[in-house]
Amino acid sequence: MAVTGLILIGYLLAHMYGNLKIFAGPEAFNAYAHHLRVLGEPLLPRTGALWILRAVLIVSVLAHMYAAFNLWSRAHNARGGTRRYYSNKTRTGVQRTYASYTLRWGGLVILLFVIYHLLHLTWNIIHPGGAAAEPYERVVNGFQIWSVVLAYTIAVIAVGFHVRHGVWSALTTLGANTSTLARQRLNIGAYAVAGVLTVGFLLPPFAILFGFVD
Amino acid sequence: MARRAKNYRNDGDSVYRLFYDTVKGGDFRARESNVYRLAEVSVEIIDQCVAQGVPFAREYGGLLDNRSFGGVQVSRTFYARGQTGQQLLIGAYQALERQIAAETVAMHTRHEMLELIVVDGRARGVVIRDMVTGGIETHFADAVVLATGGYGNVFYLSTNAVGCNVTATWRAHRKGAYFANPCFTQIHPTCIPVSGEHQSKLTLMSESLRNDGRIWVPKSGEDKRDPRKIPEQDRDYYLERIYPSFGNLVPRDIASRAAKNVCDEGRGVGPGGLGVYLDFADAIARLGRPAVEAKYGNLFSMYAQITGEDPYQTPMRIYPAVHYTMGGLWVDYDLQASIPGLYVTGEANFSDHGANRLGASALMQGLADGYFVLPNTINDYLADGPFPKVAESHPAAVEAVQAVRARIDKLLSVNGSRTVDSFHKELGRVMWDYCGMERSEEGLRKALNRIRELKKEFWSDVRVLGTNEELNQALERAGRVADFFELGELMCIDALVRRESCGGHFRVESQTPDGEALRDDDEFAYVSAWEFGGDRRPVLHKEPLFYEYVEMKQRSYK
Amino acid sequence: MDITLRVWRQANSRAKGKMAVYKVNDISEHMSFLEVLDVLNERLTLQGEDPIAFDSDCREGICGMCGVVINGVAHGPQQTTTCQLHMRSFSDGDVIDVEPWRADPFPVIKDLVVDRSAFDRIIQAGGYISAPTGTAPDAHATPVPKRDADRAFDAATCISCGACVAACPNGSAMLFTAAKITHLGLLPQGQPERYSRVVGMVAQHDVEGFGGCTNIGECTAVCPKEIPFETISRLNRDLISALTHGGSHWPKAAPRRDELEEEEDDIIGF
């Protein structure tokens, strides 16, 4: 869980960096997309590096999902069924973060979004706002529609919460949380990564929606 | 806290000195040889505990820190942040779990011993009740060891855990084991007072509080002002007044009895007038609040948690409470009771503390008995084996099981009008009033009569609901309280016979002209070992005490 | 003050339970929560109703025997044990929900009493230092840095009450296990068995059926001894070291609860 989660966070940071290229104009963005496909040539065949990356990502996502399911099922059994306490006075816990509370459902939201996201922008199967050959146009076409931006926003916020708890939890699981100071730093770090990702991912679609990029 | 004569401080500590302090502290009513052995093995206990991973306090150099504590003048107490006892227990518990994992010990949690099985004069097994299912089981062995703790809960309110009881040792006593010095109980002066009728338990605070706190009551019982508003001239710092040289640091028994006296005069404070002030105002003014906080912070917050009062602002209230019982089953030097094959360790036996126990030595004795004494002495007995196997159908076993069943049936069938706890509370009150810190012939006779009446009433009017075949906590308690009645009676008889003031036990008929305790070594330098008398009076066996190495002296703290 | 208690009643581990409502009047704010249950039990007994079963022993917050979930929080509104919770933490007229620890490895025995022997078996899987009596070296032979001794102590204050499990949304006992691992793992005496200990105890933790830890932190928020969260990370660090340094040769976990029950009772010493 921790290792795959950190791999995925690393990927998200790179992905966000690519997205922000949109502010550099169509050429830069399209060149970046193209560059990803020829990365490593001629050592690797065309899209070779990308496939290696994809393989790692697919394995990580599957392992991450498997671990999540395993944890959920163990928790379900350990709690002794669905209705644990009859009292509904402290439903949201004593101190737990909202991020930890939304981890599992948020994860599902992200999963559904990723499928949609791949259909839209990677495989070019669905075309909200009109089909286009170049990635830049695809992005701009899509994000001119408010409902697409809304769906994207919900997903990115879910990612933000997921990452906020994820970074903290992954590093704790890997043994990096062994003092009060480390705990403070980890919390700040988790908020920072989650904040950067959320803002970084939301900038392009809103810029497009409000016409700063076209 | 746990004491060992390690002399890590180079302050002249030695086995002899620990031995001497313990004999003197016990007011010359402990067996000298036992105490010497205790002092000898004390040095190994700390090694054993450290090896087990007990996190004792360390100095910056990584070596063990130690303190002076409990009325001794050398630093020999190793400590672990005010919860040494608990840490030693966890160490022993983990060692026990290791043996369970190795399958050398079979653990039966939620089981209670209700009868001892004696075959051909030897202790050969026990009858136990599974407290979850109510199943009555017998277990047989070559020897039986009781490590079942003290009986302080005969007073209902004590600093003992509410589950502590005398049943295991009392059942053994009824089967022939002598009960020694039952009236020797230790009353600790710095407990948090009772707050009302509902009180189920008293909480002990460290005696170290007396190092900086000043104890006082208002001069007049009528004075019901807020303690902060009572001016100096209307306060009576009674310990400083009566014992000018020791002041607030007089030994436990003296501090306790003085508190009782001022409360009996009607000058006690707090609910029911059962409390005296322990005031830190002077200490805070002298040392500053941070220093007081550093020293006593955890005790102050414990007090605040329980009473809801802030001891930094308003004086603490304290009152004595039963803390430990020096009496217990009589054992010989090998810790063997008067029934061959029955061994008794720790607080359950009577051996090492005489009439008064010094601070931090209960743990020392419990660990010494269990780790170092018993493993050596019981071997001697086992060497006589192998003993013939005892069958479940042996008449002694059958009889013991039947007795247990009959008793449970009886308790469940009375169906009277009073709860078990109401009897226990009333018994405790009688014991506290007449067999506590101060005893008199008249009071003890009154108590004996009252206990006998109560016992009769208990067996005809107690109400225990439910069945045996379930978790039935009222039934468990009923059996224990029934045994407490019999023990209480024996305690009063023992106190009645001991017409001397010794240790923490002040006998009004035996006092100096200025009202201090007067020990009577000519008449009472013996251990009273009581044999169960059945329906007749118990029989007293005297074990005379000889002191070869420590000269018998009268204590004086004036 | 007058309060209303809604208490979980369950006759035994097989029976179905339900919440029952009791009014308790004229209680003092100085009473501890358990003393309110005492008072209620006295009344129930006189009315001929089965008193409520609940565990308690020392009643001064150090034995770990007591513990109920009060208004959905393990040990109730104050971060202390249930016996140290006083009624001044509540107000007149409050309705208070009282339930047992809930976790599959902690079956309810009756009412508010649960069986926590799963914790014992976790300790049996390595929560000790093998130091046979009489073989110990002098206590001063091995200095322990004060910082390590203090941190080991912080972890050693665990009283095994089980509040961490009751509070954990995953039903995990990681804080308990981590406290034991940290206590022994920080001391030099605990080093030789450090890695076998963590592998054995974590394996047993999982075998008992406790959930996995997702670092939510509810455990530390209710822990009456304030065992720090960092102990969990220490456990993880040791576990990773153990698994990367030799993996499978560490001992396997102790037998399961149901396997244990079938064994012959064989008493050695009593």
Side-chain angles (χ1 to χ4, degrees):
Chain A
M1 196 98 225
V3 173
T4 54
L6 289 179
I7 290 173
L8 293 172
I9 287 169
Y11 164 74
L12 282 180
L13 285 168
H15 185 340
M16 180 194 77
Y17 166 77
N19 284 5
L20 291 175
K21 287 262 181 196
I22 203 140
F23 292 105
E27 291 78 24
F29 190 77
N30 288 341
Y32 175 74
H34 176 73
H35 172 72
L36 286 180
R37 280 157 182 78
V38 297
L39 189 72
E41 269 188 8
L43 188 65
L44 295 168
R46 187 182 156 79
T47 71
L50 197 61
W51 274 110
I52 291 173
L53 202 67
R54 281 175 179 161
V56 171
L57 284 179
I58 290 168
V59 170
S60 295
V61 167
L62 289 179
H64 200 73
M65 277 163 41
Y66 170 75
F69 176 78
N70 186 23
L71 276 172
W72 168 81
S73 121
R74 279 180 62 192
H76 180 80
N77 292 335
R79 283 193 309 256
T82 40
R83 182 105 201 227
R84 193 180 191 189
Y85 295 117
Y86 278 75
S87 180
N88 46 24
K89 289 188 177 149
T90 321
R91 273 273 174 259
T92 52
V94 182
Q95 55 81 52
R96 65 183 301 184
T97 56
Y98 187 70
S100 77
Y101 204 65
T102 57
L103 210 64
R104 280 172 193 147
W105 287 108
L108 273 181
V109 168
I110 294 167
L111 174 67
L112 292 175
F113 173 76
V114 165
I115 294 170
Y116 158 77
H117 191 62
L118 291 173
L119 287 172
H120 174 201
L121 292 171
T122 308
W123 298 328
N124 202 5
I125 293 172
I126 51 172
H127 326 279
E134 286 297 318
Y136 182 81
E137 272 178 75
R138 242 181 276 160
V139 172
V140 172
N141 289 351
F143 286 136
Q144 275 165 349
I145 304 168
W146 70 267
S147 57
V148 173
V149 174
L150 180 69
Y152 189 86
T153 307
I154 292 173
V156 167
I157 289 175
V159 168
F161 279 121
H162 207 78
V163 167
R164 187 267 170 267
H165 187 76
V167 168
W168 148 264
S169 181
L171 292 173
T172 300
T173 300
L174 294 176
N177 187 353
T178 50
S179 70
T180 317
L181 189 65
R183 191 148 62 246
Q184 281 169 359
R185 285 184 183 153
L186 265 186
N187 259 323
I188 292 169
Y191 272 117
V193 174
V196 165
L197 278 177
T198 312
V199 173
F201 273 113
L202 285 181
L203 277 178
F206 278 95
I208 293 166
L209 184 66
F210 293 118
F212 296 113
V213 174
D214 52 22
Chain B
M1 312 239 177
R3 298 194 303 151
R4 336 277 171 229
K6 273 285 197 186
N7 194 28
Y8 279 158
R9 286 305 169 98
N10 197 21
D11 52 8
D13 198 9
S14 64
V15 167
Y16 177 79
R17 189 144 180 190
L18 175 56
F19 154 72
Y20 175 85
D21 285 347
T22 308
V23 168
K24 183 179 168 220
D27 216 2
F28 301 94
R29 291 294 174 265
R31 203 188 276 149
E32 211 182 28
S33 54
N34 278 53
V35 178
Y36 191 77
R37 177 180 61 191
L38 177 68
E40 271 185 320
V41 297
S42 76
V43 294
E44 295 192 42
I45 295 171
I46 191 81
D47 298 341
Q48 177 65 25
C49 293
V50 166
Q52 281 173 348
V54 174
F56 286 109
R58 298 274 168 170
E59 290 176 334
Y60 284 96
L63 300 182
L64 291 156
D65 199 0
N66 24 33
R67 279 180 180 170
S68 145
F69 177 78
V72 288
Q73 288 145 326
V74 285
S75 291
R76 66 162 74 109
T77 305
F78 296 86
Y79 66 100
R81 256 187 246 169
Q83 50 168 270
T84 318
Q86 192 182 352
Q87 289 305 321
L88 295 175
L89 179 139
I90 289 172
Y93 166 72
Q94 291 175 341
L96 173 66
E97 293 293 341
R98 171 171 167 253
Q99 297 302 326
I100 296 170
E103 300 187 350
T104 59
V105 172
M107 183 76 154
H108 299 265
T109 44
R110 294 189 191 271
H111 283 69
E112 181 173 34
M113 169 184 157
L114 293 178
E115 203 56 83
L116 180 73
I117 299 172
V118 180
V119 177
D120 301 331
R122 291 175 189 267
R124 293 301 308 274
V126 290
V127 181
I128 58 177
R129 176 173 178 269
D130 180 332
M131 301 197 306
V132 176
T133 66
I136 309 290
E137 306 161 12
T138 50
H139 291 278
F140 300 100
D142 289 338
V144 175
V145 178
L146 296 181
T148 51
Y151 50 85
N153 276 346
V154 67
F155 292 88
Y156 185 71
L157 286 178
S158 81
T159 64
N160 289 8
V162 294
C164 294
N165 64 83
V166 76
T167 291
T169 42
W170 192 256
R171 294 284 120 194
H173 172 60
R174 289 181 61 109
K175 281 283 164 83
Y178 296 170
F179 209 108
N181 297 339
C183 80
F184 285 170
T185 53
Q186 183 178 54
I187 316 270
H188 200 290
T190 49
C191 297
I192 299 176
V194 173
S195 67
E197 259 309 295
H198 56 267
Q199 191 97 18
S200 60
K201 165 74 207 288
L202 295 171
T203 303
L204 178 78
M205 294 190 294
S206 168
E207 233 180 335
S208 62
L209 287 170
R210 287 199 281 141
N211 290 342
D212 286 303
R214 294 180 73 196
I215 295 173
W216 62 276
V217 289
K219 276 191 175 147
S220 154
E222 309 302 307
D223 197 341
K224 296 293 171 210
R225 282 177 287 180
D226 179 301
R228 292 281 82 139
K229 302 226 166 71
I230 300 180
E232 280 295 308
Q233 70 270 16
D234 292 342
R235 300 179 178 191
D236 177 14
Y237 293 90
Y238 58 89
L239 287 177
E240 296 169 23
R241 174 171 57 81
I242 309 173
Y243 307 98
S245 56
F246 275 74
N248 295 299
L249 291 174
V250 291
R252 285 181 181 180
D253 49 340
I254 293 175
S256 297
R257 198 158 47 79
K260 179 184 172 357
N261 288 342
V262 293
C263 292
D264 287 351
E265 291 164 18
R267 297 194 286 145
V269 296
L274 292 174
V276 297
Y277 290 125
L278 178 61
D279 197 339
F280 283 85
D282 288 353
I284 292 170
R286 189 176 74 246
L287 306 165
R289 179 170 163 152
V292 172
E293 217 170 308
K295 249 172 150 171
Y296 306 112
N298 56 345
L299 293 167
F300 277 33
S301 55
M302 179 174 91
Y303 181 85
Q305 176 74 31
I306 290 174
T307 61
E309 291 170 13
D310 178 7
Y312 294 104
Q313 301 299 329
T314 182
M316 283 183 167
R317 289 173 295 109
I318 54 166
Y319 199 64
V322 175
H323 182 50
Y324 185 88
T325 51
M326 281 76 71
L329 288 185
W330 182 90
V331 289
D332 62 12
Y333 189 70
D334 289 346
L335 304 184
Q336 185 169 230
S338 54
I339 301 174
L342 177 67
Y343 289 81
V344 191
T345 63
E347 193 179 350
N349 73 28
F350 89 103
S351 64
D352 298 343
H353 306 298
N356 179 41
R357 184 179 62 82
L358 282 186
S361 59
L363 297 164
M364 178 170 71
Q365 186 221 341
L367 297 177
D369 286 359
Y371 283 132
F372 297 105
V373 179
L374 192 65
N376 292 310
T377 59
I378 201 168
N379 288 344
D380 191 35
Y381 177 78
L382 293 175
D384 288 347
F387 303 103
K389 245 186 142 40
V390 183
E392 200 123 331
S393 57
H394 190 284
V398 173
E399 187 265 340
V401 170
Q402 274 169 356
V404 168
R405 286 194 194 281
R407 214 165 113 89
I408 291 171
D409 290 346
K410 171 76 181 147
L411 287 169
L412 286 168
S413 65
V414 176
N415 201 19
S417 65
R418 284 184 67 178
T419 62
V420 175
D421 278 8
S422 77
F423 280 107
H424 194 177
K425 276 184 192 175
E426 198 172 339
L427 170 69
R429 187 75 214 209
V430 171
M431 295 303 294
W432 178 248
D433 285 347
Y434 301 111
C435 197
M437 287 177 274
E438 189 172 304
R439 294 110 186 244
S440 70
E441 168 119 22
E442 188 200 348
L444 287 166
R445 289 201 184 281
K446 215 192 270 176
L448 271 172
N449 285 333
R450 186 66 197 126
I451 293 168
R452 285 170 184 151
E453 282 165 24
L454 261 180
K455 186 167 79 174
K456 220 185 218 163
E457 197 185 335
F458 175 85
W459 284 104
S460 59
D461 197 26
V462 72
R463 171 177 286 199
V464 183
L465 299 172
T467 64
N468 174 51
E469 285 72 32
E470 60 175 330
L471 179 69
N472 190 337
Q473 295 175 322
L475 177 63
E476 293 159 20
R477 281 201 290 270
R480 296 168 190 170
V481 171
D483 288 335
F484 276 139
F485 277 120
E486 296 178 15
L487 168 75
E489 211 178 317
L490 184 67
M491 286 170 73
C492 290
I493 293 172
D494 186 42
L496 201 56
V497 170
R498 195 168 278 280
R499 275 182 79 97
E500 65 161 346
S501 301
C502 72
H505 317 92
F506 187 75
R507 184 68 191 254
V508 288
E509 291 90 355
S510 177
Q511 49 182 309
T512 59
D514 53 353
E516 289 303 321
L518 183 65
R519 211 175 61 217
D520 183 349
D521 290 336
D522 297 335
E523 281 280 334
F524 295 102
Y526 64 79
V527 173
S528 34
W530 293 91
E531 184 184 346
F532 184 65
D535 297 331
R536 285 164 292 114
R537 286 174 61 93
V539 183
L540 175 61
H541 302 267
K542 296 178 183 174
E543 180 199 336
L545 291 166
F546 304 104
Y547 292 89
E548 284 178 64
Y549 300 98
V550 186
E551 188 197 343
M552 291 175 105
K553 279 188 203 141
Q554 197 80 24
R555 298 188 305 166
S556 170
Y557 294 93
K558 288 233 165 163
Chain C
M1 56 201 258
D2 300 342
I3 52 160
T4 305
L5 292 176
R6 303 200 317 146
V7 184
W8 181 258
R9 300 304 307 264
Q10 179 175 342
N12 55 56
S13 55
R14 293 170 305 280
K16 248 176 92 81
K18 63 174 192 334
M19 298 294 273
V21 182
Y22 304 98
K23 279 200 167 332
V24 191
N25 296 335
D26 295 327
I27 56 170
S28 142
E29 57 165 28
H30 295 300
M31 290 165 90
S32 75
F33 197 81
L34 298 182
E35 284 165 354
V36 173
L37 292 179
D38 286 341
V39 167
L40 174 59
N41 275 346
E42 291 284 286
R43 196 188 81 199
L44 289 177
T45 305
L46 293 178
Q47 287 170 355
E49 289 178 56
D50 194 23
I52 301 160
F54 64 94
D55 267 335
S56 77
D57 203 14
C58 77
R59 296 206 179 189
E60 52 183 75
I62 55 172
C63 76
M65 191 73 174
C66 68
V68 289
V69 173
I70 300 168
N71 288 340
V73 183
H75 288 309
Q78 296 221 353
Q79 197 175 352
T80 182
T81 54
T82 305
C83 62
Q84 292 297 292
L85 174 68
H86 289 75
M87 295 315 286
R88 63 183 82 91
S89 299
F90 298 92
S91 321
D92 190 34
D94 275 2
V95 178
I96 304 169
D97 299 334
V98 190
E99 298 175 72
W101 288 169
R102 278 248 192 263
D104 191 54
F106 286 173
V108 172
I109 293 176
K110 186 180 179 183
D111 298 339
L112 304 173
V113 178
V114 297
D115 178 0
R116 283 166 289 191
S117 46
F119 273 7
D120 286 343
R121 289 185 295 275
I122 292 178
I123 294 180
Q124 284 159 29
Y128 47 75
I129 291 170
S130 300
T133 310
T135 59
D138 186 273
H140 266 176
T142 315
V144 183
K146 184 169 165 54
R147 197 175 129 93
D148 287 349
D150 287 349
R151 286 190 167 182
F153 187 92
D154 288 340
T157 54
C158 170
I159 53 175
S160 312
C161 66
C164 45
V165 177
C168 177
N170 294 312
S172 175
M174 206 42 79
L175 190 67
F176 161 79
T177 312
K180 302 293 168 196
I181 301 264
T182 303
H183 161 205
L184 300 172
L186 278 173
L187 296 170
Q189 292 83 358
Q191 295 311 309
E193 293 164 303
R194 182 168 171 184
Y195 297 120
S196 60
R197 177 180 308 121
V198 67
V199 173
M201 289 179 77
V202 171
Q204 186 64 27
H205 168 278
D206 294 353
V207 165
E208 294 293 342
F210 291 107
C213 174
T214 59
N215 306 307
I216 292 171
E218 289 292 274
C219 49
T220 50
V222 299
C223 174
K225 297 294 149 184
E226 299 175 34
I227 304 291
F229 188 74
E230 65 200 51
T231 55
I232 292 181
S233 213
R234 269 183 203 286
L235 173 142
N236 286 323
R237 196 179 264 200
D238 279 6
L239 187 62
I240 293 167
S241 300
L243 294 177
T244 50
H245 290 85
S248 59
H249 80 268
W250 304 111
K252 276 200 303 220
R256 265 190 80 102
R257 180 194 332 162
D258 32 348
E259 291 168 5
L260 273 179
E261 279 171 5
E262 284 162 23
E263 284 177 24
E264 268 298 295
D265 283 343
D266 181 21
I267 312 198
I268 295 159
F270 215 83

